Amino acid sequence: MTDTTAPFAVNQAHLWPLAAGLALLGFLWFGPLPEMARGSFSAHMVMHMGVVAVVSPLLALGISRALPAQVAALPPALAIAASLFEFAAVWTWHAPALHDAARMQTGLFVMEQASFLAAGVLVWTTAVGAKAAGVCALLITSMHMVLLGALLLLAPRALYACAAVCSSAASLTPLGDQQLGGALMLVIGGSAYLAGGLALLSTVLRDRAPIGEAG
């Protein structure tokens, strides 16, 4: 008698990144961080980096395993468009006026976090599908994450009015809290997308190697 449960179990195990991503997203959004983020820029940045640099690639990997043909069929131009969308989302929500409003108004905070998730999943998923264009998309995203992180880290004063009206992070001044948040974006955001781009580049080169050897 043939055991039909084994392939199903293997397929379920194959989708562990999707389950891990959803579990981590639940912790980030429904754990203590959202309340902490109201009074701490660095806690806000932990949420942001967790969503785009950890949750999003896990979800993208799970989606690519669940729907390999559909992801592989994604057009390369979509990966570049996705990177531009994430650039717009990240820089727009970190503009002082909008960022302050999102930290103080629940509705805007939800919109901000949803846009970070949508942009992150779109970039990582299209990158996996587009291969070579995906390398460019991830490296572009890495560069603008590093740039924004450096601006936040090196700013001579606190850029956000919320730092003066929200309770600040324990033992940190508003400027110190902002600098820590900038460092988190620079290191985590920049390195995650850079590592993803290099890993994807290695798969592109490996896939093309037999063609070159055959020639």
Side-chain angles (χ1 to χ4, degrees):
M1 183 175 179
T2 303
D3 183 4
T4 59
T5 62
F8 179 76
V10 171
N11 289 338
Q12 291 288 88
H14 196 57
L15 299 180
W16 70 264
L18 197 58
L22 291 174
L24 179 57
L25 183 64
F27 172 76
L28 291 173
W29 280 0
F30 301 105
L33 278 173
E35 185 60 32
M36 294 171 62
R38 286 184 172 274
S40 169
F41 182 81
S42 54
H44 174 277
M45 191 59 71
V46 169
M47 285 188 66
H48 180 188
M49 292 298 99
V51 168
V52 302
V54 184
V55 169
S56 292
L58 283 172
L59 294 181
L61 181 57
I63 291 169
S64 69
R65 291 180 174 184
L67 304 168
Q70 291 84 344
V71 171
L74 293 172
L78 187 58
I80 303 302
S83 69
L84 297 178
F85 171 58
E86 180 158 30
F87 171 84
V90 170
W91 284 74
T92 298
W93 283 110
H94 284 87
L98 196 54
H99 177 81
D100 286 336
R103 282 174 70 180
M104 291 185 283
Q105 299 179 32
T106 301
L108 285 177
F109 182 72
V110 170
M111 290 175 59
E112 174 201 65
Q113 291 298 310
S115 68
F116 287 161
L117 178 64
V121 171
L122 187 60
V123 167
W124 287 98
T125 304
T126 56
V128 171
K131 302 291 188 186
V135 173
C136 295
L138 292 177
L139 294 182
I140 289 171
T141 306
S142 173
M143 288 188 288
H144 82 72
M145 287 281 185
V146 168
L147 177 58
L148 181 54
L151 289 174
L152 294 168
L153 175 63
L154 301 176
R157 60 180 178 82
L159 301 176
Y160 302 104
C162 189
V165 295
C166 301
S167 58
S168 61
S171 75
L172 288 176
T173 64
L175 179 58
D177 190 30
Q178 176 181 292
Q179 290 172 333
L180 177 57
L184 289 170
M185 172 174 273
L186 193 159
V187 174
I188 299 175
S191 61
Y193 283 91
L194 176 61
L198 293 178
L200 192 57
L201 177 61
S202 71
T203 65
V204 172
L205 295 177
R206 187 168 61 247
D207 291 344
R208 292 182 177 179
I211 298 176
E213 292 170 3

